[in-house]
Amino acid sequence: MTPKDYLTVSQLTSYIKAKFDRDPYMQTVHLVAEVSGFRNRGKQAHQYFGLKDDQAYINAIIFRHVFSKLNFDLEDGMKVQVIGRISLYEKSGRYSLIIDAIQPDGVGQFYVRFEELKKKLTQEGLFTFQPKPLAKYPKKIAVVTSPSGAVIRDIITTCRRRYPIVQIVLYPTVVQGEQAAQSIVKNLQRADQSGAYDTIIVGRGGGSIEDLWCFNEEKVVRAIAACQTPVISSVGHETDTTLSDYVADQRAATPTAAAELATPVLKDVFYQLGDYRQRLIKSQTNRLDYFEHRLGQVKQSYLFTQPEKLYDGYRLKIADLDKQLSEHMRQKVYQHKETFYRLYQGLYRVSPERKIVDEKHRLQQEHADLCQSMEKQLKDIQHTLSQRIGQLDLLSPLKRMSGGYAYVSQNGQSVLSVTTLSPGQNLDIQFRDGRLSSQITATYKQEMVPSAFLKGQGDQKKRSKS
């Protein structure tokens, strides 16, 4: 082949573009797809983004005259119905779908997942909390982001410009792909558990919803919420919002804004310190002047020039109190005199001398009555005693024995009947003036006779036996 047979790149792209422009199937294309990587540039600007499904992706363009007429807000992750044409941009060799009409067709899968997780965490109360205050003058800041992205460079540049004395520590982190969520959680926990940092910045640059999706993962959101160190979220561009933004203590639109939130301007701090110093000096000077003026006034007061006047009020008060005391004592003495006079009159009316005489007479009478009563009672007792002695004398065994009676016993037991005795037994017989021992030689039993008779016979038998 000769050199004339070779095409240039521009010739090839022009040919392909002509193919797209002339193909009737490419002039009107109807698609159902999910919006990806959309960032609103304003109603008067062209909009560049992507359309995708589960297996493919295509660039899309909406020119400003079409975008300005939309009656809804186009959002990343939204599922749409699109009518447009395929065209090729020759300089880059990339083909795109030029959108002529677009309308919503529900929401995409990422948007559904986003809303479901947001609703779940909202019900748990994870988004309702009191944000931790950021350190006003931080010493160390941990940055959880990719080591190769623009995020860390922007943060370092901004901090060096604003607050060069702060130390920035990078935790290299995967911020896109399947391993991103685990990497973010791990480095967040490392930074927070070390306890060495005043602030943690977590984030990455802009991208499509699928690029930023790791910051919508539940474990990442919970890891940020569990941090004891204040966290600043800086994910995507200003219009991008992730669930991590809802649980962070502060949300920054860009990495530069995150660095500005985390650090003060050192020059402003020095200026503020100088201002505080001047204000303090002025305040103390004014205070010293005020006290000096007060001291001069006090020195010139009459209390120091004529100190005896200080006690004039006390003298008057003491004189008044002395007068009140005298009047009070006079009234008390008068009241006590009145009381004493009333009591004296009462005692005079009830003089105890008469009562004493009456009581003496009554005492003498009662004494005489007592003596008479005791004498009579003693005579009654003596008469009763004589009667009792006579009665006892009548019952005395010795007196009966003096009439010829005797007491018969055997071995210390009384003998009541002759039937209990037998010849040869010994008996003890007690008389009034002595006792004798005898032995039975014979016993005689006789019929019962009147007691008066038995009494005489018994006495006779006893005398005959003895």
Side-chain angles (χ1 to χ4, degrees):
M1 296 180 63
T2 64
K4 294 181 180 181
D5 296 328
Y6 287 88
L7 298 176
T8 63
V9 175
S10 59
Q11 288 173 337
L12 179 59
T13 54
S14 295
Y15 176 77
I16 296 173
K17 183 177 185 307
K19 280 288 189 181
F20 280 125
D21 292 341
R22 293 171 186 171
D23 190 339
Y25 294 105
M26 298 295 158
Q27 294 304 307
T28 305
V29 179
H30 294 76
L31 290 180
V32 175
E34 183 179 315
V35 176
S36 178
F38 175 77
R39 182 166 62 89
N40 194 338
R41 295 172 174 82
K43 287 290 186 180
Q44 302 304 317
H46 303 317
Q47 306 296 325
Y48 301 92
F49 56 96
L51 296 173
K52 69 182 185 67
D53 56 18
D54 292 339
Q55 298 180 351
Y57 179 93
I58 184 173
N59 292 321
I61 302 172
I62 301 180
F63 292 120
R64 61 188 179 190
H65 69 278
V66 176
F67 186 71
S68 63
K69 297 178 182 179
L70 294 183
N71 57 3
F72 65 95
D73 293 330
L74 191 63
E75 296 178 357
D76 196 25
M78 180 181 289
K79 194 172 183 182
V80 293
Q81 295 177 359
V82 175
I83 300 175
R85 65 184 185 278
I86 300 297
S87 180
L88 182 74
Y89 184 58
E90 295 181 46
K91 288 186 177 181
S92 64
R94 297 173 61 185
Y95 71 92
S96 302
L97 177 65
I98 310 299
I99 297 176
D100 296 322
I102 185 171
Q103 62 180 5
D105 186 45
V107 293
Q109 58 176 339
F110 285 107
Y111 186 73
V112 171
R113 290 169 58 190
F114 178 89
E115 289 298 326
E116 288 179 350
L117 183 56
K118 180 180 177 182
K119 181 179 179 181
K120 172 186 174 183
L121 298 181
T122 301
Q123 292 175 347
E124 291 183 14
L126 200 66
F127 300 146
T128 305
F129 65 98
Q130 184 66 34
K132 294 181 286 295
L134 300 179
K136 195 171 183 179
Y137 305 108
K139 296 180 180 179
K140 293 179 71 175
I141 297 176
V143 181
V144 179
T145 188
S146 171
S148 59
V151 174
I152 186 62
R153 293 195 299 272
D154 291 346
I155 292 174
I156 291 174
T157 301
T158 304
C159 289
R160 285 178 179 174
R161 172 173 54 83
R162 290 170 57 87
Y163 198 65
I165 62 175
V166 71
Q167 182 180 355
I168 306 296
V169 179
L170 172 66
Y171 281 79
T173 307
V174 180
V175 293
Q176 182 175 341
E178 295 180 358
Q179 303 299 322
Q182 184 62 33
S183 178
I184 294 170
V185 171
K186 177 182 177 181
N187 286 328
L188 275 172
Q189 292 175 346
R190 286 177 55 202
D192 183 54
Q193 292 172 3
S194 69
Y197 302 103
D198 300 300
T199 309
I200 299 174
I201 299 176
V202 57
R204 59 154 287 159
S208 63
I209 188 172
E210 56 267 26
D211 295 336
L212 305 178
W213 187 253
C214 58
F215 292 94
N216 289 320
E217 293 286 351
E218 183 175 355
K219 56 185 175 182
V220 174
V221 176
R222 292 190 183 277
I224 294 175
C227 286
Q228 300 300 314
T229 308
V231 178
I232 299 176
S233 173
S234 176
V235 179
H237 298 292
E238 185 172 358
T239 57
D240 296 322
T241 302
T242 64
L243 294 177
S244 297
D245 297 331
Y246 290 100
V247 293
D249 298 289
Q250 290 285 345
R251 191 254 179 184
T254 62
T256 301
E260 291 175 350
L261 285 173
T263 59
V265 178
L266 188 60
K267 291 181 180 179
D268 293 343
V269 174
F270 287 148
Y271 175 79
Q272 191 175 29
L273 288 175
D275 181 61
Y276 286 157
R277 182 174 180 273
Q278 293 299 324
R279 289 168 62 183
L280 181 61
I281 292 173
K282 184 177 180 180
S283 174
Q284 292 301 318
T285 302
N286 292 338
R287 192 171 180 81
L288 289 174
D289 292 341
Y290 169 74
F291 284 119
E292 186 176 358
H293 176 68
R294 286 287 307 277
L295 180 61
Q297 289 180 332
V298 171
K299 285 181 178 179
Q300 295 175 4
S301 66
Y302 74 93
L303 293 178
F304 284 92
T305 57
Q306 297 177 350
E308 65 276 3
K309 291 185 177 181
L310 180 65
Y311 303 101
D312 289 345
Y314 293 107
R315 290 193 186 99
L316 293 174
K317 190 173 183 179
I318 289 173
D320 184 61
L321 291 174
D322 183 63
K323 183 179 179 181
Q324 292 179 14
L325 179 61
S326 299
E327 180 65 21
H328 180 72
M329 292 300 295
R330 187 186 65 80
Q331 292 178 358
K332 284 291 184 182
V333 170
Y334 177 77
Q335 291 174 0
H336 285 303
K337 283 183 177 180
E338 289 290 327
T339 304
F340 175 76
Y341 181 75
R342 289 195 302 270
L343 293 175
Y344 177 77
Q345 293 294 328
L347 288 175
Y348 181 77
R349 287 193 299 269
V350 291
S351 176
E353 292 179 359
R354 188 173 58 188
K355 287 189 174 183
I356 291 174
V357 173
D358 293 340
E359 291 297 326
K360 282 183 177 180
H361 287 305
R362 189 175 65 83
L363 181 62
Q364 291 175 358
Q365 183 64 37
E366 289 181 354
H367 182 267
D369 293 342
L370 179 61
C371 291
Q372 184 178 0
S373 177
M374 290 180 65
E375 184 177 356
K376 181 178 181 301
Q377 188 174 6
L378 183 59
K379 289 180 178 181
D380 292 341
I381 292 173
Q382 289 177 347
H383 177 68
T384 303
L385 179 61
S386 298
Q387 290 180 343
R388 297 288 188 272
I389 290 174
Q391 293 174 359
L392 288 174
D393 187 56
L394 293 175
L395 298 174
S396 174
L398 295 177
K399 190 171 183 179
R400 295 176 68 89
M401 288 179 181
S402 62
Y405 289 93
Y407 173 69
V408 181
S409 63
Q410 185 184 32
N411 297 328
Q413 300 293 328
S414 299
V415 177
L416 301 179
S417 176
V418 71
T419 57
T420 61
L421 300 175
S422 58
Q425 291 181 338
N426 293 324
L427 295 176
D428 291 325
I429 302 173
Q430 178 70 43
F431 294 94
R432 179 176 177 276
D433 55 353
R435 187 182 66 173
L436 61 85
S437 295
S438 62
Q439 187 176 27
I440 299 172
T441 57
T443 60
Y444 303 95
K445 185 177 179 183
Q446 61 185 6
E447 297 296 333
M448 294 296 292
V449 296
S451 57
F453 179 77
L454 285 176
K455 180 178 178 182
Q457 293 297 326
D459 293 340
Q460 186 178 359
K461 285 184 177 182
K462 287 181 180 179
R463 285 194 298 266
S464 61
K465 288 181 179 180
S466 58

